Amino acid sequence: MRSADLPAIQYTVWPADLHAHRFHVKLHIANPDPSGQILQMPTWIQGSYLIRDFSKHIETIEAYSTSGEKKKLALERIDNDQWRLPPNNGPVEMLTTVYAFDSSVRAAYLDTERAFFNSTSLCFAVKGQEHLSCSLAITTTRTCICKSLDRTNHIKSSQNR
């Protein structure tokens, strides 16, 4: 698939540490606002009538310019749930580590037995680009797949052969 065929906004989620209950989330923004893209963690989830503080579970956050040589970008925290990227021309990637040990259906949970999340608890909104299509990929490590498959006796994947 050509990069021109991919959505402008791409999320990739994977378990970073099963025992410490942490997901990694990579956000690729093909065309960030050149004057400084604003990113926001949701504060509300459909079906819940309370304001949530999903950003409190963000443990680390980094941003990189990906046009040419990968270069770390400084993020400005605007308020509790919004960050701004510096002015930049070209694609950007953000990498966040999110703590996930909330077993309610409104958040995220990760341990050695199971994992689930609602995207509102892991994924930043790209302000001004909410109308664009996006993709969400969920990946895992081979070790995690094998353990899960062996433990539940599912059909072996090609990675196990």
Side-chain angles (χ1 to χ4, degrees):
M1 180 178 283
R2 299 173 314 146
S3 62
D5 297 331
L6 296 172
I9 299 169
Q10 301 165 39
Y11 300 92
T12 307
V13 176
W14 69 95
D17 187 334
L18 300 175
H19 297 283
H21 317 290
R22 287 171 176 83
F23 280 109
H24 275 165
V25 182
K26 181 172 73 171
L27 166 59
H28 175 84
I29 308 167
N31 301 300
D33 182 340
S35 64
Q37 180 66 59
I38 294 176
L39 304 147
Q40 182 176 21
M41 281 300 286
T43 56
W44 178 82
I45 183 172
Q46 189 172 1
S48 178
Y49 301 100
L50 297 174
I51 297 298
R52 306 283 172 184
D53 185 12
F54 295 118
S55 64
K56 72 181 178 184
H57 298 295
I58 295 174
E59 293 187 341
T60 65
I61 182 170
E62 298 175 338
Y64 299 90
S65 170
T66 59
S67 57
E69 187 176 322
K70 192 172 183 176
K71 177 184 165 192
K72 191 169 185 176
L73 300 172
L75 280 160
E76 172 194 359
R77 189 160 191 175
I78 300 170
D79 58 28
N80 188 55
D81 59 347
Q82 293 187 94
W83 285 258
R84 182 186 347 258
L85 290 166
N88 182 65
N89 291 316
V92 170
E93 284 186 355
M94 285 185 46
L95 181 63
T96 55
T97 304
V98 182
Y99 183 71
F101 202 58
D102 182 339
S103 60
S104 78
V105 296
R106 292 172 290 284
Y109 186 89
L110 176 66
D111 69 10
T112 59
E113 298 295 319
R114 62 191 173 122
F116 66 85
F117 65 87
N118 201 311
S119 60
T120 56
S121 62
L122 297 183
C123 299
F124 279 94
V126 181
K127 299 298 283 180
Q129 298 190 35
E130 297 93 343
H131 65 285
L132 298 176
S133 64
C134 68
S135 66
L136 171 64
I138 303 169
T139 64
T140 186
T141 62
R142 180 179 173 181
T143 304
C144 181
I145 290 172
C146 293
K147 285 174 123 179
S148 176
L149 291 172
D150 291 342
R151 197 170 36 250
T152 60
N153 296 318
H154 281 88
I155 298 171
K156 290 184 179 180
S157 72
S158 59
Q159 292 178 339
N160 292 338
R161 293 181 188 161

